[in-house]
Amino acid sequence: MPTHDITLEIKKRNPRVPPRVVVRVGDIASQTISAQITSDGQPYTSPLSNVRLDILRADGTWARITATKSGSKVSCTLPSQAVSSAGTCKLAHFVFFSGSTKAESTEDFELAILPNVDTSDAHAEAESYDDLLTKLWEKWDAYGRQAEASESARVSAENARKANETARESAEETRKQDEEQRKTDEAARKQAESSRAGAETSRKSAESSRVTAEASRVTAEQQRATEHARLKTASQQATSAANTAASSANAAASRANGAAAIAQSALNIANSVTTAEEYDRQDSIGAYAGRSLASVFASEISSKADIYAWLKSRAQAGNFSGLRIGDYIDVPVAEAANVPAQTVRYRIGAIDQYYRCGDIAKGHHIVMVPKAPVTVKGDKASNTSYLQWRETRDNNGTAEERHPYLCSKLHDWEINDFLPALPSGLQSALMTQRVLLEERYSASGKLTEASNCSLTDLGKIWSPSEMEVYGCPVWGSKGHSVGFDSQFPIFTDTASRIAGGRVSWWLRSVVGGSSSNACYVYNYGVAYFTAPKDDWVRPLPCFLLG
């Protein structure tokens, strides 16, 4: 007895080329259909106990035949009612069911029933059979083209699904990395807040000490005023005595004039002492506003080409007489692509701070520090007038430049944009700064601490280090980030670090214990850190004269 073996999916996958079974009218109880049932290509056993074969014949009538089930296979022998008329059945599939409440069916297969052989007119029968075969071939060819188109669409859809899955996995990995970084930053913020609370306690203690010191200063000032009055009285008495002696005799006049000159010298010394003491008083309480060097030394400056040449000659000669920390010059900065036109007030921040230091002994010099952070513009600016330390969240050096600061966007702007915008006379008076600078680089991955330090040139424009502002490493790596730096006298108290209407400004130091943060001075004077790509911080470009 012939058996037609086919495979049917429980999950309908139309369109596809259906399995095909061909029998003939009159093949009664001799044709068996055996179907392997699958789900996504794997053998499938229905949980429903009963099975039948449903056939929608070419004439539109149904034939339902009881089938048998054995595991994932079902079979059915076609009775006379299934093959009673020729033609291709419109539907043929197996149905699993349990009573009238549950049922599931397979995909369709094609059941073609050929006409019975009639030997009375063999030629006509052959033509009819040829026509039927032609129709079957045409239908099969249409199924094939439809299946090819469906397969191409399925492959395209699968490729798109894989691409979307890859993008989703990449996005998920990025999200996890960002979350880990957020947790790290939050832990650092909490630690910084704890440090801030400790600093606030220290500030209150220092304020109490300052009040006590101020009371002592007031007492000393009263004593100084009494002494000044005594010296003034003595001077007046000496002058009176000299005048009396002059009127007594011409011979005594010479001696009287000498005595008057001595008395005047004493008065000048007393006045000089008074002025120096007043400067010391203002400086001790952070009240000294500085003097314009152009005004105080106008006569001396007139003998030089400009004030920059005068300051350079003074520094090279080691002649700092009359110069005080906080005295200033106003420098006109020309407009450039990334620098707006502006006047920057530069104050004396330190004198001979690094004299004879380094592998090449440094000569006499004056450290000049802006009173306020400098504004930026153009392609390098962020938020209109601010500057990023670097455009990425990375504080390491590179294989070509191991010093993080020297390969920063901050230093690139200082050397290539700000320096050329300064007056030519000032540029010729500048001294190259050479320091012991932190290195941080490893070919094996990002570092969170300094790997070394080395003597290197910063150029003629540079940002101060954490050590030069605070006198100690606060967030930077201990040891390598210090180098031979020391605190500038102009930054000895917290108030002196608040610059430009409480604007935050960058330092050249990078943070220890992190591969992604740089140090800066927060707008109310506290030492802090942030990501190098932070776009709400400005530069404070310093230089040496000498």
Side-chain angles (χ1 to χ4, degrees), residues 118-429:
D118 183 357
T119 57
S120 62
D121 188 351
H123 181 71
E125 182 63 27
E127 288 181 349
S128 174
Y129 184 71
D130 289 343
D131 290 343
L132 181 59
L133 288 178
T134 298
K135 290 179 180 179
L136 289 173
W137 179 86
E138 290 174 348
K139 188 171 184 179
W140 181 267
D141 183 59
Y143 274 133
R145 288 194 299 272
Q146 186 178 20
E148 289 176 359
S150 297
E151 178 61 14
S152 176
R154 188 196 64 78
V155 170
S156 297
E158 177 63 14
N159 290 338
R161 185 196 65 77
K162 290 179 179 178
N164 290 337
E165 178 63 15
T166 299
R168 186 198 65 75
E169 291 174 352
S170 176
E172 177 63 15
E173 182 62 25
T174 300
R175 185 197 66 75
K176 290 179 180 178
Q177 292 175 357
D178 290 345
E179 178 63 15
E180 288 300 318
Q181 186 62 52
R182 186 197 64 75
K183 291 179 180 177
T184 300
D185 291 347
E186 178 62 15
R189 186 198 64 74
K190 289 180 178 178
Q191 184 179 2
E193 180 61 21
S194 177
S195 299
R196 186 203 63 75
E200 178 63 14
T201 300
S202 299
R203 186 199 65 75
K204 291 180 178 178
S205 176
E207 176 64 15
S208 176
S209 299
R210 188 199 64 76
V211 171
T212 301
E214 176 64 11
S216 299
R217 187 202 62 76
V218 170
T219 300
E221 175 66 13
Q222 292 172 345
Q223 294 174 347
R224 185 201 62 76
T226 300
E227 178 64 14
H228 174 66
R230 187 187 66 78
L231 289 173
K232 186 175 182 180
T233 300
S235 176
Q236 291 170 345
Q237 290 173 347
T239 301
S240 177
N243 289 336
T244 300
S247 64
S248 299
N250 291 334
S254 177
R255 290 192 298 274
N257 288 335
I262 292 172
Q264 185 61 46
S265 176
L267 178 60
N268 290 340
I269 291 173
N271 289 335
S272 176
V273 169
T274 299
T275 301
E277 286 180 348
E278 176 59 18
Y279 165 70
D280 290 342
R281 184 189 70 80
Q282 292 182 16
D283 183 61
S284 69
I285 62 173
Y288 183 62
R291 304 168 300 165
S292 169
L293 295 175
S295 298
V296 175
F297 296 96
S299 176
E300 190 176 334
I301 293 170
S302 65
S303 64
K304 299 292 182 180
D306 52 37
I307 191 170
Y308 313 123
W310 172 72
L311 277 169
K312 180 178 181 179
S313 66
R314 275 285 210 114
Q316 289 180 335
N319 177 11
F320 306 115
S321 175
L323 303 182
R324 298 171 180 171
I325 301 300
D327 289 347
Y328 61 84
I329 59 175
D330 289 326
V331 177
V333 179
E335 182 172 8
N338 296 303
V339 182
Q342 56 193 300
T343 297
V344 179
R345 176 158 292 183
Y346 271 92
R347 301 175 297 167
I348 297 177
I351 295 176
D352 265 359
Q353 186 84 355
Y354 299 119
Y355 179 57
R356 299 187 64 78
C357 294
D359 55 338
I360 303 173
K362 195 183 301 294
H364 292 295
H365 57 274
I366 301 171
V367 178
M368 302 299 291
V369 178
K371 181 176 177 61
V374 174
T375 56
V376 184
K377 76 166 191 172
D379 293 339
K380 294 183 180 179
S382 299
N383 288 319
T384 306
S385 61
Y386 296 82
L387 179 68
Q388 295 174 322
W389 200 93
R390 183 176 285 176
E391 291 181 340
T392 60
R393 195 182 182 93
D394 178 10
N395 67 7
N396 277 227
T398 65
E400 295 75 23
E401 177 51 76
R402 294 172 175 264
H403 306 90
Y405 169 65
L406 292 186
C407 58
S408 68
K409 182 179 180 180
L410 169 65
H411 193 55
D412 170 71
W413 178 86
E414 291 168 342
I415 296 300
N416 297 314
D417 294 285
F418 187 72
L419 175 59
L422 295 177
S424 58
L426 174 56
Q427 291 186 47
S428 64

Side-chain angles (χ1 to χ4, degrees), residues 8 12 51-56 62-65 90-96 104-110:
L8 297 175
K12 290 75 174 173
V51 62
R52 69 171 183 261
L53 173 63
D54 284 0
I55 300 172
L56 179 57
W62 282 94
R64 289 184 169 87
I65 303 102
K90 296 181 179 179
L91 290 174
H93 54 251
F94 285 96
V95 178
F96 298 93
E104 61 179 348
S105 61
T106 67
E107 62 184 341
D108 292 332
F109 66 91
E110 185 179 290

